[in-house]
Amino acid sequence: MATNGLFSRERALKVNQWALLLVLVTLIATPLRSHAVVAVLMLYSTGYLVANRASLAVTRFDWAVVGVLSLLLLSRVPIFVIDDYSSRYLSPGFHMVAVVPIYLMLRHLLTPLDTRQVRGYLEWGLVIGTLGALAVALYQTQLQGAGRADGFLFSINLGYLSCAMAFLAASLIRGSHRKAWLLAAALAGVITCLLTLARGAILAVPLLLILLLLLNADRLGWKAITASLVAMVTLALVSYATLPSVERRVAYTVDEFTNIAQGDIEAAVSSGGRLQLWTAASHAFLARPLVGLSYDEREAQIAELVEQGVLTDWVLGVGRGHAHSQYFEMAATGGVLGLIALLGYLVAPAIYHWRLYRRDRSNAWAQVALVFTAGFAIYSLTEAAIHHEMMTTFYAYMQVVLLALALCHRHGVSSSRGT
C-alpha cells in the first residue's frame, strides 16, 4: 500500500470520511446534488486502486458484490438494444456500477479502528443534513405557505430520503456517544417526511420503527418499546391536530379509498391512478415476460388499453407509463431479468445484513444496513425509489459503505477471538 502522497492510507481515509459527510449533508438540505460528490469519490477510488494494485486482493465475496451492483445495468441491456440503443435505460445501472471502485477501496482501506472515525462523520452528516432539511421544510410550509414541503427535490423524493435519513440516525443511536443529537436527527427527518405529505414514505415510518424496536428488544425492554410506540402515535396525533396540511391529506386519503371501495377508480386520482399504472405495468410484463416493453411500446399499449376501456384517459398523461412502483417498473421494462436484478440489489442485501446481525448482535453496521434496505423495500412499493439517478446513487453508495463497515466489524471480532 502506498505510504505517502495523494493515495496514501491516511489521505484516502480522510477523503472517504469527508465524502460521506458531504453526501449526507447535501442530499436533502441543499440544492447541490449528492451524486456529484460520489462521482468525484469514484474517480479518486479508481486512482487509489491503481496506486495500491500490488496489495489489492479481491475475494470471491467481493466479486459477488460487484455482480450484484452490475445486475441493474445488465438487466437493461436487452431493452436498450430493442429500443435502438437508447441510453435512458442504462443510466441508473451505470450509477450503481459507479460505486464498485468505492466499495473495493473501502474493503482495502478500512480496519476495525477506522470504523469509529467513520462513524463520527456519518453521524454528524446525518445530524446536519436532517436538521437543515427540516429548516427548509418549515420555511416552505410555515412561512411561504406551501401545501407540502419539497425542499430542493420533488416532495415524494424528499419524503423517502428524509425517512431514510431519519432511520439511519435512529439505527445508530445504539452504541453512540451522540445519542441526543441522533435522536434529534431522527425526529427532524420524520417531521420533514410528514411535511412532504408523501403517503408512501409516511407509511414506512411506523413499519421501520417497529422493525428497529424489535431488532433492539434485547436491550430496550418492553417498557421502552411501548414508550416509543406511544411517542409515535402522539407525534401523529399532534401533527394531525396542528398542521392543516396533514389534516387535509388524511381527509383526501379517506376520500380516495372510499371512491376505490365504491368502484370509482377515476375519482381516486392518486391511489386509483397508481392502481391503473400497476395494471398497465402488468400488461407490459405479460406482453414480453423475459425483458418487458420499451417506454414507447408501453405508451402504445396503454393507448390500446384506454380504447378498450381497461384504463381511463388519465393514464395517457403519465410519461412512459411510469408505474410509480419499483417492483412494477422493473417488471414492465425489464421483465423476468429486471425482477431477478431487483432481487439481487434489494432483497439479497437485506437477507445478508440480517444474517450478519443475527450472528453478531454487536454488529451495529449490519443493523443499520438492514433497516436502511428495508426502508427502500417499503418505499419501492409506491414509487420507483431506486430508479432516479440520484436515488440510485445514494442507495448504492450507502449500501457499500455500510457493508464495508459491517464486514470490517465482523473481521475485527473474528481476529480478536482468534478465528
Side-chain angles (χ1 to χ4, degrees):
M1 182 183 294
T3 58
N4 50 55
L6 180 61
F7 300 111
S8 67
R9 186 180 182 284
E10 293 75 14
R11 181 68 60 84
L13 186 59
K14 279 297 181 184
V15 168
N16 277 275
Q17 290 169 343
W18 280 104
L20 177 59
L21 184 141
L22 287 174
V23 166
L24 295 170
V25 169
T26 59
L27 183 68
I28 56 175
T30 75
L32 302 175
R33 289 293 174 254
S34 61
H35 52 293
V37 178
V38 178
V40 174
L41 184 61
M42 182 269 292
L43 295 174
Y44 177 85
S45 65
T46 302
Y48 176 91
L49 295 175
V50 172
N52 294 279
R53 60 189 179 278
S55 59
L56 184 66
V58 182
T59 67
R60 284 185 295 179
F61 179 85
D62 293 333
W63 282 118
V65 173
V66 172
V68 166
L69 290 170
S70 305
L71 283 175
L72 178 57
L73 178 63
L74 294 175
S75 71
R76 293 290 176 140
V77 171
I79 204 68
F80 163 74
V81 174
I82 289 171
D83 199 13
D84 296 327
Y85 305 98
S86 175
S87 61
R88 57 186 173 176
Y89 299 103
L90 301 184
S91 182
F94 274 124
H95 280 73
M96 191 169 285
V97 170
V99 305
V100 166
I102 298 175
Y103 167 76
L104 295 175
M105 172 178 61
L106 290 172
R107 290 282 281 139
H108 182 265
L109 174 67
L110 290 177
T111 68
L113 181 63
D114 299 328
T115 61
R116 303 177 196 170
Q117 302 175 45
V118 174
R119 181 169 187 143
Y121 284 80
L122 172 58
E123 290 179 353
W124 282 119
L126 290 168
V127 170
I128 298 170
T130 52
L131 292 179
L134 177 59
V136 174
L138 289 173
Y139 174 77
Q140 290 178 333
T141 57
Q142 306 306 307
L143 296 179
Q144 290 188 323
R148 57 196 300 183
D150 56 13
F152 304 100
L153 307 165
F154 291 115
S155 58
I156 193 167
N157 290 340
L158 177 60
Y160 296 130
L161 291 174
S162 60
C163 184
M165 294 271 282
F167 280 93
L168 281 172
S171 301
L172 284 165
I173 290 176
R174 180 170 173 172
S176 175
H177 300 300
R178 307 175 185 86
K179 289 181 172 62
W181 280 108
L182 289 173
L183 179 59
L187 290 173
V190 169
I191 294 171
T192 301
C193 179
L194 291 173
L195 291 174
T196 66
L197 304 182
R199 289 174 296 180
I202 294 172
L203 172 65
V205 172
L207 299 178
L208 291 175
L209 178 60
I210 291 171
L211 173 61
L212 184 59
L213 292 174
L214 291 175
L215 291 174
N216 290 277
D218 57 326
R219 291 192 180 184
L220 289 175
W222 292 108
K223 289 184 179 179
I225 291 176
T226 302
S228 298
L229 293 175
V230 169
M232 178 186 69
V233 173
T234 301
L235 177 61
L237 293 175
V238 170
S239 299
Y240 180 81
T242 59
L243 297 172
S245 58
V246 174
E247 182 182 359
R248 288 193 296 269
R249 191 64 167 172
V250 171
Y252 176 74
T253 302
V254 172
D255 289 341
E256 281 207 317
F257 280 102
T258 300
N259 289 324
I260 291 173
Q262 294 173 350
D264 191 357
I265 301 295
E266 191 169 4
V269 176
S270 181
S271 301
R274 272 184 169 77
L275 290 176
Q276 293 193 76
L277 292 171
W278 297 347
T279 299
S282 300
H283 281 270
F285 174 76
L286 293 174
R288 191 188 288 144
L290 182 59
V291 299
L293 299 182
S294 69
Y295 296 139
D296 291 341
E297 288 174 326
R298 286 170 65 182
E299 290 181 342
Q301 186 187 59
I302 286 172
E304 292 178 5
L305 293 172
V306 171
E307 288 184 7
Q308 296 168 9
V310 177
L311 304 174
T312 67
D313 291 341
W314 178 86
V315 187
L316 294 172
V318 180
R320 306 195 312 255
H322 189 341
H324 283 278
S325 165
Q326 189 74 27
Y327 304 98
F328 281 101
E329 186 66 26
M330 292 302 295
T333 300
V336 172
L337 294 181
L339 293 176
I340 291 173
L342 186 144
L343 290 174
Y345 65 73
L346 186 59
V347 178
I351 295 173
Y352 185 76
H353 297 319
W354 163 243
R355 290 181 61 193
L356 276 183
Y357 184 65
R358 187 181 62 180
R359 292 174 180 174
D360 180 8
R361 293 300 182 98
S362 70
N363 195 336
W365 302 113
Q367 176 198 255
V368 175
L370 174 58
V371 175
F372 176 77
T373 310
F376 271 87
I378 298 171
Y379 313 146
S380 294
L381 292 170
T382 55
E383 183 56 42
I386 315 176
H387 199 69
H388 186 280
E389 286 85 351
M390 184 188 72
M391 305 280 277
T392 305
T393 304
F394 174 66
Y395 174 77
Y397 173 67
M398 290 308 303
Q399 282 286 359
V400 300
V401 168
L402 295 172
L403 176 60
L405 291 168
L407 292 173
C408 190
H409 174 91
R410 187 188 70 174
H411 296 322
V413 171
S414 298
S415 298
S416 67
R417 291 175 179 170
T419 58

